[in-house]
Amino acid sequence: MERVADDMADHVICLLPGDGIGPEIIAEGVKVLNSVGEKHGTSFSYTEALIGGAAIDACGTALPEATLEAANSADAVLLAAVGGPKWDTTDPAKPRPEQGLLGIRKQLGLYTNLRPVQIFPALVGASTLKPDIVEGVDMMIVRELTGGLYFGKRERFYDEAGAGTGGAAGQRAYDTMEYREYEIERIARQAFDAARRRRGKVTSVDKANVLETSRMWREIVHRVHDADYADIQLEDLLVDNAAMQLINRPADFDVVVTENMFGDILSDEAAQITGSLGMLASASLGDGTALYEPSHGSAPDIAGKGVANPLAQILSVEMMLRFSFDMAEAADDVRRAVTCVLDEGWRTADIADAATPSEKTVGTVRMGDLVVERL
Ligand code: IPM
Ligand code: MG
């Protein structure tokens, strides 16, 4: 599909469908955007570019230069998902779809990843946890996104001499976790600001009993807090304990701030609390163009079947309206429409249960249509 930015449009959005179910769900996001535009007297125009496996197939790299340019010159980026078995490899010399995602995060300077974890009342039963534990869950995971292990120095090589091992020759590999003061300071501010808009509590997650980066993290988070955010309640949790407490008392958490790798792991865990990864959106913010994407992956097993849940993509559109375009009312509308559709009992297969009648189990396009109708 050829898309050309319309210079007259109020907002230009760069679409990155990616792989697997990506193209199917992003189409529903666009449908919702167009409907919001009509209702709120705003126009959106779209550019489209390749990322991930689709880009590897077409250009040999997961993040072509043209994609970066399209992203940079847009007002916001809407991404669907990347990856699939076709491009799975452990060969460090081969391109991987994830490099597209990591590259665009780094290149656009998207250091703040916001992952809201909310439970829609109609879906309380979808969780594997007891209803009384998940009821009222409403947290915001603030994940540092451009530092730490993901971007540190790494290497894999064959150590002929087995240096320092008494001669155990063999492969060696390392990744390094490094943080700088300003990186921790700015993500801490993002977390405290988010808490001010919410319930006023921040849980900072680290591994300060072992890691030097974590000890520095803790010191800086507290310094920022004491200097500028004394009104916010701050607690520290070690990451292993945090993994346990998230399941034990998820409703107690408001804002959770943590470094890149811990945030990756804990956000999947938190998603499972809701029982419906297909519902969770995310926003990646920096100082320039922001990027919005579902928290879930490209689900290659169901790609092209028209059954994927488009709601996380649609809720990413909600976040875009809120954070990039300052359209809080329109964003609330989208959320209300999604809530309404769920309350009426409509489900895609991933969130349907034994009690869902078959006529209420719908595919990707129908689910998108339902949301648009309720708008
Ligand atoms: C995520 C994903 C990515 C990450 C992968 C696909 C590189 O798991 O957005 O959480 O690890 O950040
Ligand atoms: Mg992840």
Side-chain angles (χ1 to χ4, degrees):
M1 135 180 63
E2 181 68 19
R3 292 185 192 267
V4 181
D6 171 0
D7 291 338
M8 301 301 287
D10 295 320
H11 305 291
V12 177
I13 297 166
C14 173
L15 303 176
L16 304 177
D19 310 316
I21 58 170
E24 295 163 68
I25 59 172
I26 210 165
E28 302 312 305
V30 169
K31 213 149 84 179
V32 168
L33 271 166
N34 288 338
S35 160
V36 163
E38 267 169 46
K39 184 170 169 199
H40 292 265
T42 308
S43 56
F44 301 103
S45 91
Y46 308 93
T47 57
E48 187 172 327
L50 294 167
I51 194 165
I56 293 175
D57 286 351
C59 321
T61 161
L63 184 62
E65 200 51 46
T67 299
L68 256 186
E69 269 167 39
N72 259 318
S73 54
D75 298 314
V77 179
L78 186 65
L79 185 141
V82 298
K86 180 175 178 197
W87 306 281
D88 256 347
T89 172
T90 54
D91 180 349
K94 292 230 174 81
R96 285 193 62 99
E98 292 80 2
Q99 289 162 349
L101 192 54
L102 300 179
I104 202 166
R105 286 172 180 171
K106 192 70 171 178
Q107 301 286 338
L108 295 183
L110 306 173
Y111 63 86
T112 305
N113 186 218
L114 301 178
R115 299 193 166 183
V117 179
Q118 280 160 326
I119 185 122
F120 286 84
L123 296 181
V124 165
S127 175
T128 48
L129 299 182
K130 296 193 189 87
D132 59 311
I133 302 279
V134 294
E135 226 145 1
V137 166
D138 178 6
M139 74 179 102
M140 178 69 86
I141 297 186
V142 180
R143 169 186 175 193
E144 199 292 323
L145 203 59
T146 52
L149 278 172
Y150 276 63
F151 296 98
K153 185 166 187 283
R154 71 190 57 187
E155 198 185 351
R156 182 159 141 188
F157 59 100
Y158 195 84
D159 185 356
E160 204 71 60
T165 66
Q171 286 194 78
R172 284 174 70 172
Y174 62 86
D175 299 275
T176 43
M177 187 185 305
E178 182 173 359
Y179 269 102
R180 295 182 184 244
E181 191 165 354
Y182 80 95
E183 295 177 301
I184 298 171
E185 207 177 300
R186 66 185 179 181
I187 196 72
R189 287 188 188 283
Q190 292 289 334
F192 291 129
D193 285 339
R196 269 200 188 136
R197 297 190 296 266
R198 296 169 48 93
R199 302 196 302 280
K201 182 178 166 192
V202 169
T203 303
S204 171
V205 175
D206 61 37
K207 187 71 183 173
N209 53 348
V210 178
L211 301 177
E212 202 50 50
T213 40
S214 282
R215 290 194 262 266
M216 186 172 85
W217 175 282
R218 197 176 277 209
E219 267 177 34
I220 294 170
V221 168
H222 278 266
R223 195 187 65 212
V224 171
H225 171 263
D226 296 350
D228 295 325
Y229 297 92
D231 54 308
I232 303 293
Q233 185 193 341
L234 171 64
E235 67 172 7
D236 303 295
L237 270 191
L238 295 172
V239 63
D240 48 349
N241 189 19
M244 198 162 69
Q245 300 305 331
L246 272 175
I247 299 293
N248 189 33
R249 48 178 182 89
D252 280 0
F253 292 93
D254 181 9
V255 172
V256 176
V257 64
T258 190
E259 66 88 35
N260 204 346
M261 179 76 148
F262 296 160
D264 177 46
I265 298 168
L266 292 182
S267 61
D268 264 29
E269 188 194 3
Q272 182 55 33
I273 294 169
T274 71
S276 40
L277 184 56
M279 299 295 304
L280 298 181
S282 81
S284 302
L285 315 172
D287 299 320
T289 308
L291 181 148
Y292 301 84
E293 60 176 315
S295 280
H296 60 68
S298 59
D301 51 322
I302 56 165
K305 297 193 174 143
V307 297
N309 182 350
L311 293 176
Q313 183 84 74
I314 290 170
L315 293 168
S316 309
V317 163
E318 179 213 332
M319 294 189 88
M320 176 187 288
L321 294 167
R322 215 178 279 288
F323 292 108
S324 281
F325 302 143
D326 209 14
M327 294 175 67
E329 226 174 278
D332 290 344
D333 264 3
V334 173
R335 173 155 290 265
R336 234 189 329 265
V338 170
T339 308
C340 181
V341 168
L342 293 171
D343 285 347
E344 289 170 22
W346 300 101
R347 302 284 186 271
T348 42
D350 60 310
I351 49 173
D353 59 22
T356 311
S358 61
E359 71 274 14
K360 290 254 162 160
T361 307
V362 298
T364 312
V365 173
R366 179 85 178 103
M367 186 54 106
D369 287 343
L370 284 162
V371 173
V372 166
E373 283 166 28
R374 301 302 176 274
L375 273 170

